[in-house]
Amino acid sequence: MDKLLIEGGPALKGTVRISGAKNAALPILFGALLHAGSSEIRNLPDLEDINTTRLLLKNMGVEMASEGTTLSLDASMMNSAKAPYELVRRMRASVLCLGPLLARNGFARVSLPGGCAIGARPIDQHLRGLEAMGAEITLDKGYVRAEAPEGGLQGARVVFDVVTVGGTENLMMAATLANGTTVLENAAREPEIVDLARALRSMGAEIRGEGTSLITIEGKHRLGPMSHHVLPDRIEAGTYIAAAAITRGDVLMEGAELEHLDSLIGKLGRAGVEVRREGDAFRIRHHGELHPVDVETQPYPGFPTDLQAQYMSLMTLAQGSAAITETIFENRFMHVPELARMGADITVKGRTAFVRGVDQLHGASVMATDLRASVALVLAGLAADGMTEVRRIYHLDRGYEHIEKKLAALGANVRRVPQDEVGVDSL
Ligand code: UD1
């Protein structure tokens, strides 16, 4: 396993290009299972989670060929409807194959994701929704076994108890091939759901209301080939905005859709970070004081939980105290003790972290056990004095395309080395 070595200090300057969105690409890849033939997906990011998804699809008999960021798939020879534990444990989003498999095949066997570093993350809403569509669900030796009724899934009205991105996506995909109309209430409104709806529509699916909390899907007997260009990654964009801000840099960002980041940009504006449009790109600049601004995570269009850790890194250097409240996941403060090792002053009480700004962070050896927490430590390292060693960057590779190259191109002193090489303490 590799680690990153970061010599903090330089203000980031230059241009960064945002990649395709991981969280849109994953359900869309599974969505291609809904057509027993070929599909084409463009603007796929080069990420470990995408590789894991491709392995899952390959296991099911899907043939794939990639050229640059374009993937051609042929799902006509599908010969398995199983998602094995070895792959699901690497990536919880594997559960998103359940809906498409059940709709296309009438049967699916998907390993339960198991415990996860950011809380229990159950899939009860996915399963309840599929049951409402007539599926019989049993749990067997760590696997979810789902069987559609004779004649296929039935359209249904599903009211989610909690707003769930994955649950909305799974049911939306299942409903495209169901008999009759499915109505999803209290649905998630994330841009990735809108992108999935577009991808499914390119196959002939009939979907209305995506981007609102009421989505209606008219089931079809058959879908055709998917042809889709994945939307830009708003979380990657938000992360580079935070990177520019924390280093007091001046960065031009290309390929992003910043209207998906209104909540972050609103908060940053109050904190004193300037983000403005320049033609098709965006410029992020920060020099004066950094003001503390409170944040509470919420489902979209609220402040994204996937940017909470990065925002906290930034607030560790604010002139005052900010309260950061996590409402989506119960255990998503794993970056706090690691940031404290770098000199941050943070107290957690329940779901709120009280961050008192310090003058300077200091390089240290740190490690985190989830994707966004890991990148928050990279951001802190960019601003800290001395050397920061971010260990176990497996998590970063799951969700950030070529992160060390993109940061180095902006002037950061960052390099990837094998984990067993000399540690920061002896540098
Ligand atoms: C997706 C994103 C993840 C993001 C999260 C919230 C992908 C691949 N991942 O994850 O990056 O942090 O949305 O924006 O798109 N819940 C239940 N029962 C369920 C499903 C969810 O109780 O059946 C709870 C979860 O435990 C969590 C909350 O609902 O507390 C939101 O989870 P959900 O929106 O489903 O997150 P994911 O789809 O797993």
Side-chain angles (χ1 to χ4, degrees):
M1 204 178 293
D2 293 344
K3 63 185 179 185
L4 284 188
L5 291 180
I6 304 164
E7 176 90 57
L12 297 192
K13 287 200 164 67
T15 304
V16 64
R17 183 151 201 96
I18 297 307
S19 304
K22 169 178 90 73
N23 286 354
L26 299 178
I28 286 169
L29 280 165
F30 289 123
L33 286 169
L34 291 162
H35 166 56
S38 56
S39 287
E40 186 183 274
I41 304 173
R42 299 176 295 282
N43 200 31
L44 273 185
D46 180 12
L47 299 172
E48 271 314 302
D49 274 7
I50 299 291
N51 292 338
T52 303
T53 306
R54 288 182 60 168
L55 277 177
L56 276 161
L57 293 173
K58 191 164 170 238
N59 254 4
M60 295 167 191
V62 177
E63 290 181 0
M64 283 161 286
S66 58
E67 207 184 315
T69 63
T70 299
L71 184 71
S72 307
L73 308 91
D74 184 348
S76 57
M77 307 290 272
M78 200 174 100
N79 53 22
S80 159
K82 183 177 166 187
Y85 177 67
E86 305 84 80
L87 294 174
V88 177
R89 79 187 167 87
R90 288 193 209 168
M91 184 187 75
R92 283 185 46 88
S94 308
V95 76
L96 293 172
C97 68
L98 192 53
L101 283 177
L102 198 52
R104 154 111 185 255
N105 197 48
F107 172 79
R109 202 159 165 261
V110 176
S111 171
L112 277 170
C116 174
I118 57 173
R121 299 180 80 172
I123 55 163
D124 57 304
Q125 300 295 311
H126 304 230
L127 302 184
R128 257 199 34 207
L130 292 172
E131 276 175 340
M133 298 177 77
E136 196 176 311
I137 310 265
T138 44
L139 298 182
D140 174 31
K141 300 191 188 97
Y143 277 76
V144 175
R145 199 175 177 285
E147 207 163 338
E150 212 158 303
L153 292 172
Q154 299 297 322
R157 173 173 174 249
V158 176
V159 185
F160 292 106
D161 293 338
V162 290
V163 178
T164 156
V165 175
T168 303
E169 292 167 343
N170 234 339
L171 290 185
M172 213 162 88
M173 291 191 278
T176 57
L177 286 178
N179 300 303
T181 307
T182 298
V183 178
L184 305 178
E185 293 184 29
N186 197 24
R189 294 181 282 165
E190 268 66 3
E192 292 74 21
I193 287 175
V194 175
D195 207 43
L196 172 63
R198 283 193 193 125
L200 296 172
R201 221 178 267 126
S202 79
M203 307 171 85
E206 205 179 319
I207 301 172
R208 294 189 302 279
E210 74 277 8
T212 76
S213 53
L214 184 78
I215 303 178
T216 306
I217 304 113
E218 306 290 347
K220 299 275 179 191
H221 286 305
R222 183 172 294 130
L223 295 181
M226 176 191 283
S227 170
H228 185 72
H229 185 99
V230 176
L231 96 167
D233 196 315
R234 67 192 164 102
I235 305 300
E236 189 196 26
T239 302
Y240 282 99
I241 291 174
I246 202 168
T247 61
R248 302 173 159 273
D250 183 350
V251 168
L252 194 69
M253 182 176 286
E254 291 178 347
E257 287 183 21
L258 288 206
E259 59 274 26
H260 295 155
L261 281 169
D262 283 349
S263 56
L264 172 73
I265 291 169
K267 294 288 177 185
L268 289 180
R270 287 169 54 200
V273 179
E274 186 191 338
V275 182
R276 65 180 165 79
R277 184 179 279 278
E278 266 189 28
D280 284 345
F282 296 89
R283 183 171 292 280
I284 303 110
R285 246 196 306 226
H286 176 52
H287 21 87
E289 283 200 350
L290 186 66
H291 308 294
V293 180
D294 295 351
V295 147
E296 183 173 303
T297 62
Q298 290 292 341
Y300 189 83
F303 193 96
T305 173
D306 284 352
L307 287 172
Q308 177 258 107
Q310 299 90 315
Y311 184 81
M312 191 182 299
S313 290
L314 186 60
M315 284 297 118
T316 62
L317 293 172
Q319 252 96 39
S321 296
I324 299 180
T325 304
E326 173 59 54
T327 72
I328 309 289
F329 292 111
E330 70 268 27
N331 183 21
R332 206 171 197 181
F333 283 145
M334 261 128 14
H335 39 290
V336 170
E338 302 298 303
L339 287 172
R341 288 166 56 74
M342 300 179 72
D345 183 355
I346 307 170
T347 312
V348 175
K349 283 205 177 110
R351 294 196 146 204
T352 300
F354 297 92
V355 186
R356 285 169 294 275
V358 294
D359 291 336
Q360 181 66 53
L361 293 172
H362 308 290
S365 183
V366 289
M367 177 169 85
T369 46
D370 82 60
L371 169 58
R372 309 303 173 183
S374 304
V375 88
L377 301 175
V378 173
L379 299 189
L382 292 172
D385 58 20
M387 184 74 85
T388 295
E389 174 190 70
V390 182
R391 301 173 71 86
R392 301 195 67 190
I393 56 169
Y394 159 76
H395 294 287
L396 286 175
D397 293 334
R398 283 188 41 219
Y400 286 94
E401 185 173 64
H402 311 151
I403 185 165
E404 74 276 19
K405 291 196 185 117
K406 287 191 181 186
L407 286 173
L410 292 171
N413 282 325
V414 47
R415 68 194 163 95
R416 175 188 290 257
V417 294
Q419 184 128 309
D420 48 14
E421 234 183 58
V422 62
V424 72
D425 297 339
S426 46
L427 287 169

